[in-house]
Amino acid sequence: MPLRSTLQMAGAADDAAKGQIRQANEARILAAAERVFAGAGFGGATMAAIAEEAALPKANLHYYFGSKQALYRDVLAQTLKDWLEPTHVITPGADPRTAIETYIRAKMALSIQRPHASRVFANELLHGAPVVQTLLATDLRKLVLAKAEVIAQWVRDGRMAAVDPVHLFFTIWAATQTYADFEVQVCAVLGHKELTAQDQTRATEHVVTLILRGCGLT
């Protein structure tokens, strides 16, 4: 193999390795930031605390994200992206029951697996959404209206009960995110220090059954 080709392959492999390291570090920092922002709020969080939580030098945070404000925006944007991605199952040709159940289960799983992300987002909304207002009015609104039209067509076709498609999304969000945002309240009523795997399964099945029944899909 010519030397030039060998060097090019080596360079490509090196770039790929660096890219993987960058992705891993960014994910690690975002996860740490979720926890710190959830506990301290934006005002109380510091880059030093996030770096300590991530077990990375503070300089790494500034290298990848620039500032606390930029990191906070990325945490919110990533959370919204992850919440919206499961809606891809809601398509005209899909089975309504399967699609809606799949979406509910995905949202419940996110609340259970990443409760801190949900709390950061909820806190942002409680403060008037100063950072994500534009995303809510553009990306979120566009996607929800598009998926709501799919559900409206299912209703018109007699494939499910007559529900308000947009408010159905609000109901799903409220029912699923409460297990993250108000976990302390849920645990207090259940008499547990934290939600057990059995609690999580029980909650998921309840929410799925309740909403599907309301949609006439049981």
Side-chain angles (χ1 to χ4, degrees):
M1 179 180 296
L3 178 59
R4 182 177 179 180
S5 296
T6 302
L7 292 175
Q8 288 176 337
M9 291 178 62
D14 186 52
D15 289 342
K18 289 180 179 178
Q20 291 175 350
I21 292 172
R22 182 184 184 91
Q23 289 179 355
N25 282 341
E26 288 180 347
R28 187 171 174 178
I29 292 168
L30 285 170
E34 287 179 2
R35 296 190 291 272
V36 174
F37 284 133
F42 176 77
T46 65
M47 292 294 264
I50 295 170
E52 181 178 358
E53 182 71 19
L56 289 169
K58 183 180 174 182
N60 281 35
L61 275 65
H62 289 287
Y63 174 75
Y64 290 119
F65 295 96
S67 65
K68 184 175 80 167
Q69 290 80 0
L71 178 53
Y72 179 68
R73 284 196 300 271
D74 281 357
V75 166
L76 293 170
Q78 184 63 51
T79 299
L80 185 58
K81 177 179 179 294
D82 292 341
W83 281 353
L84 297 182
E85 195 277 333
T87 63
H88 74 275
V89 299
I90 301 174
T91 60
D95 171 64
R97 186 186 192 284
T98 301
I100 293 175
E101 178 177 353
T102 299
Y103 177 58
I104 295 169
R105 289 187 183 279
K107 282 293 279 97
M108 281 294 290
L110 284 168
S111 289
I112 291 167
Q113 295 164 8
R114 292 175 54 203
H116 299 98
S118 184
R119 291 167 197 156
V120 174
F121 204 90
N123 195 45
E124 165 72 7
L125 299 190
L126 288 172
H127 285 81
V131 175
V132 297
Q133 180 61 49
T134 299
L135 280 175
L136 299 180
T138 55
D139 293 12
L140 177 63
R141 184 171 188 273
K142 180 180 179 181
L143 184 140
V144 170
L145 292 182
K147 297 302 181 180
E149 178 52 34
V150 173
I151 295 172
Q153 188 60 54
W154 288 344
V155 172
R156 289 193 292 269
D157 292 344
R159 301 176 68 189
M160 60 182 287
V163 298
D164 185 307
V166 173
H167 284 271
L168 176 60
F169 280 100
F170 297 155
T171 300
I172 292 172
W173 298 344
T176 56
Q177 289 162 220
T178 194
Y179 290 97
D181 303 341
F182 297 102
E183 182 183 10
V184 171
Q185 176 177 262
V186 174
C187 287
V189 173
L190 293 177
H192 298 164
K193 291 184 177 179
E194 60 182 22
L195 293 177
T196 65
Q198 185 177 5
D199 293 331
Q200 293 164 356
T201 298
R202 177 184 171 191
T204 298
E205 297 309 317
H206 167 74
V207 173
V208 167
T209 300
L210 188 67
I211 294 176
L212 289 182
R213 185 178 295 142
C215 291
L217 296 171
T218 53

